[in-house]
Amino acid sequence: MSLPDATPLRAFLFADPAAHSLSPAMHGAAFQAAGLAGTYEARRVPAADLPAALETLRQPGVLGANLSLPHKETALGLLDDLTPAARAIGAVNTVVHREGQLTGDNTDAPGLWQALSEEGYAWEQGGNVVVLGAGGAARAAVYTALILGEQNVWVVNRTFGRAQAIAQAWANPDAEFQVVAAEAQAVPWPEVSLVINASSAGLNAPTETPLDAAWLAQLPAHALVYDMVYKPLETCLMRDARALGLRAANGLGMLAHQARLAFTAWTSAEVPAQVFLDALVPQPAAPGDQA
């Protein structure tokens, strides 16, 4: 983006609620690492105010915005263009401003892919993937597993009709891999290699889980349980999985990678993922450092 040197760079998060977000810390660190004078602000934007909020992104110096609940799907019809990924997923988490035009992108899917790969998940091993949830994050998880990972996906959601809507959106009887909406008891758990919690169950609720441990107990030993929730850092779902000897991880890796990709889309600057991760997790003080 070509701007006068005096024009401040700005980016935002639009969400409701927004005060809890860790994104300002990540992007603040990224601006510093890239040597750019920029700010990132988390704004609480109620659903009814989203159209007006998006219009403010057309101002000079505004790079764009991240979108979180409840805006990822609503934004689809409010932007000038969509990337193929955003259109296929049916959700936008990143809005990029270029010369007055707003393009919706989705960095959740490639961010999730990278995070799972770093956790040692081997896509080539095959198996079924279970996605818990049916919102924008779940759609990105389905895209990651079905399109990027070429695996069958089972969508399990508290409201079965929403899971069916995702399955129908991806319905293709001629495709080798399929998306199936199912109740938990219908999932072939012994053939599942990856469980992704893409719901908000467990968020700030250490004793809440989106999945009964009885189903986790049927998973094969090599399965990975990935919880997009990262508050608390160890969720009930993760504890249950680890108690059964399974690998489990929280969503900090995905959060960092999707932010890294959004920052690059806005600025063209390549900032290492570790910069974003370090902003999320306080680093231990070196010997002799003062508090």
Side-chain angles (χ1 to χ4, degrees):
M1 175 177 290
S2 178
L3 292 166
D5 291 341
T7 303
L9 301 176
R10 293 179 292 157
F12 302 91
L13 168 72
F14 295 159
D16 188 12
H20 68 286
S21 176
L22 300 178
S23 292
M26 288 193 295
H27 288 287
F31 276 122
Q32 184 174 5
L36 296 173
T39 62
Y40 184 102
E41 177 187 348
R43 287 186 176 178
R44 176 181 173 269
V45 176
D49 296 342
L50 181 61
L54 289 173
E55 284 303 305
T56 67
L57 300 180
R58 301 183 191 275
Q59 299 172 9
V62 175
L63 300 170
N66 290 131
L67 304 180
S68 191
L69 290 173
H71 304 314
K72 290 186 177 183
E73 296 166 70
T74 308
L76 290 168
L78 301 174
L79 302 169
D80 302 308
D81 198 9
L82 300 172
T83 65
R87 186 172 285 108
I89 293 167
V92 170
N93 82 317
T94 300
V95 179
V96 180
H97 172 219
R98 289 285 187 277
E99 298 178 351
Q101 297 294 296
L102 303 180
T103 299
D105 196 2
N106 192 301
T107 65
D108 280 338
L112 176 60
W113 170 277
Q114 187 63 43
L116 290 170
S117 298
E118 290 182 353
E119 291 297 335
Y121 184 72
W123 293 98
E124 65 274 9
Q125 73 188 357
N128 296 282
V129 176
V130 171
V131 173
L132 308 175
R139 290 175 179 272
V142 170
Y143 179 87
T144 303
L146 181 72
I147 303 302
L148 302 182
E150 296 185 335
Q151 297 190 29
N152 294 312
V153 184
W154 300 75
V155 181
V156 177
N157 189 58
R158 185 170 47 190
T159 304
F160 186 66
R162 296 197 67 196
Q164 284 183 309
I166 290 183
Q168 290 168 0
W170 291 98
N172 181 358
D174 298 325
E176 182 178 358
F177 302 99
Q178 300 293 330
V179 179
V180 180
E183 303 287 356
Q185 59 267 26
V187 173
W189 295 103
E191 301 170 17
V192 171
S193 58
L194 175 63
V195 176
I196 303 172
N197 177 34
S199 76
S200 61
L203 178 62
N204 294 321
T207 61
E208 182 181 79
T209 180
L211 188 67
D212 193 285
W215 304 119
L216 293 176
Q218 297 184 39
L219 292 170
H222 67 270
L224 171 65
V225 176
Y226 192 85
D227 198 337
M228 288 187 185
V229 170
Y230 50 84
K231 289 186 177 182
L233 291 177
E234 184 174 65
T235 63
C236 183
L237 178 66
M238 292 170 61
R239 289 197 307 274
D240 287 347
R242 287 172 176 164
L244 293 164
L246 300 168
R247 293 177 298 149
N250 63 32
L252 285 182
M254 175 184 173
L255 182 67
H257 280 291
Q258 64 81 24
R260 175 182 61 83
L261 293 166
F263 190 83
T264 298
W266 292 330
T267 66
S268 299
E270 295 285 350
V271 175
Q274 195 61 47
V275 170
F276 295 86
L277 285 167
D278 288 348
L280 294 172
V281 182
Q283 301 303 297
D289 283 356
Q290 301 297 312

